[in-house]
Amino acid sequence: MEKAICADPKLSAQDREMAQLFAIAKQGAFGSGASNQLAAQRTALQAMRACAAPRASEPLAACLGARYAVRNQRLAIAALIVAPATSLPLLRARDPAFAPILEAVQLWSEAPVDANWSAPERARSRARIATLLQPYLKALQTNADQSFGNSILSDPVNDGIAVRTIDDLFRSERHFSAFLNVLGPYLDEPKLAGMPRDLPCAAIVRHPKLLAANGPVFGSTMDNFVLRNDCSESLPPLPSLDALVKKLNAHWPECEGTIRFAIYSGFNQDVDRARLGSPIATKAKALPSRKGVSPADTAAAERELAAYYVANLHAAPAAAATMARTALLPILEDAHACD
């Protein structure tokens, strides 16, 4: 495999690109500490090594090129907020249907939370964001195949958020997030299968309301294609939480009806809130039990989250313990739901 990379200028360039992006993405999206990119990198390298297996289904160079492209796209998304000049050219080349959204999010993340987008100092960024996102709004409003998404945005009953013109995006963080929330199912297919359509977690750390762009909104199979995020890779590792989530998913009862995709998406959002340290406040109560999960599994995840909040969010130990319990409660309550 290494001989093939060294002998092929394109593969060699992709390898150098991966090394550059990985060096940037190793820092966690909180701005300090390590991300979980090391584990993700090992998984990606294992997939590359499989290209050289005796019974590989495609030529070695083609297989490696595809693996590099997907991995480098993930790394470019992870590095976008801290290194836009490095990441944006790569994102535009690999997924032109998604790159304008990523650039708009990057520009949005540069402003403070709940910024006044009418302020003169933001005129240039506002104009650029509007230019980047106007084609998506036009498509929603003129393409009959996208009418469902447009109806969600144009109906003020939807949590009081209506986006009918491009200027509506700048009314609040919630308006911007609501717009992003409906775009995923309507994007043109990427050039290469498996190309991630994730929002950078570092942007969500800076603007927590952006997490709403990853939640269920359609109530159907379409929620399977809502934009996701890369928080599991870009934030510090949480192996006990990952193990808990894996067991919950493994023992999830078989559900019927397309509403199940909204349920799955909502559950994933619960997990993201735990990683970000932004759980929804609830009254203290006992954590529910779930099939396939032992009390020891739950306790390990709770201890791990408390320590994580102390180390990464600088929470006091008592506050971190409360946050950990609050974060696990919706994960366990929403797990194994079908309707």
Side-chain angles (χ1 to χ4, degrees):
M1 186 185 80
E2 291 175 355
K3 289 180 179 179
I5 294 169
C6 293
D8 188 318
K10 289 183 179 180
L11 292 178
S12 296
Q14 286 180 301
D15 190 72
R16 291 191 297 271
E17 181 182 283
M18 184 174 71
Q20 179 188 23
L21 292 169
F22 180 65
I24 299 170
K26 283 194 298 184
Q27 179 174 306
F30 285 133
S32 61
S35 68
N36 197 28
Q37 290 292 348
L38 180 58
Q41 186 75 355
R42 286 170 175 162
T43 300
L45 292 175
Q46 287 175 353
M48 290 178 186
R49 293 187 188 102
C51 290
R55 297 183 180 180
S57 59
E58 57 184 325
L60 178 58
C63 180
L64 285 172
R67 299 289 194 278
Y68 270 120
V70 171
R71 178 58 184 153
N72 288 359
Q73 178 79 354
R74 290 192 184 281
L75 288 168
I77 290 172
L80 173 61
I81 302 306
V82 295
T86 299
S87 294
L88 281 173
L90 306 177
L91 296 168
R92 291 176 185 136
R94 290 217 171 88
D95 194 352
F98 186 45
I101 296 172
L102 290 170
E103 183 178 350
V105 169
Q106 182 268 318
L107 290 169
W108 190 278
S109 74
E110 291 182 342
V113 171
D114 295 326
N116 175 10
W117 283 96
S118 297
E121 65 268 22
R122 293 193 187 89
R124 179 176 294 182
S125 292
R126 175 176 175 142
R128 179 60 178 165
I129 292 171
T131 299
L132 290 164
L133 298 184
Q134 179 66 57
Y136 300 97
L137 180 60
K138 181 179 179 181
L140 285 166
Q141 295 175 337
T142 60
N143 188 331
D145 292 337
Q146 300 186 22
S147 60
F148 187 20
N150 186 52
S151 68
I152 292 171
L153 286 177
S154 60
D155 184 0
V157 175
N158 179 33
D159 201 24
I161 300 298
V163 178
R164 301 189 183 94
T165 71
I166 203 68
D167 288 336
D168 287 334
L169 297 183
F170 303 97
R171 292 175 60 188
S172 74
E173 305 259 356
R174 294 170 65 210
H175 286 77
F176 185 68
S177 298
F179 180 70
L180 299 179
N181 198 195
V182 304
L183 295 183
Y186 302 122
L187 297 179
D188 291 340
E189 290 294 320
K191 293 180 178 180
L192 184 66
M195 203 60 82
R197 293 277 175 79
D198 295 334
L199 299 182
C201 192
I204 300 172
V205 169
R206 295 186 184 188
H207 292 261
K209 291 178 183 176
L210 283 179
L211 184 60
N214 304 138
V217 66
F218 294 99
S220 70
T221 309
M222 294 173 72
D223 282 317
N224 228 20
F225 304 97
V226 167
L227 301 177
R228 304 303 180 196
N229 63 63
D230 68 345
C231 289
S232 64
E233 295 181 359
S234 288
L235 290 175
L238 283 166
S240 294
L241 178 65
D242 290 341
L244 177 68
V245 171
K246 185 176 181 179
K247 288 185 177 182
L248 289 169
N249 283 325
H251 291 86
W252 208 297
E254 188 171 346
C255 302
E256 297 181 358
T258 58
I259 192 66
R260 70 186 187 276
F261 296 108
I263 294 169
Y264 303 154
S265 182
F267 172 78
N268 290 334
Q269 209 171 27
D270 294 335
V271 178
D272 288 335
R273 289 192 187 97
R275 294 186 190 281
L276 290 159
S278 56
I280 297 174
T282 59
K283 292 182 179 179
K285 52 183 172 179
L287 297 175
S289 60
R290 287 289 177 259
K291 183 179 179 181
V293 173
S294 70
D297 294 328
T298 304
E302 188 173 1
R303 287 193 303 272
E304 178 182 72
L305 282 170
Y308 174 93
Y309 297 146
V310 170
N312 297 289
L313 301 180
H314 312 295
T322 300
M323 289 171 64
R325 174 62 61 99
T326 304
L328 278 177
L329 188 59
I331 293 174
L332 292 168
E333 285 184 334
D334 293 344
H336 299 179
C338 280
D339 52 35

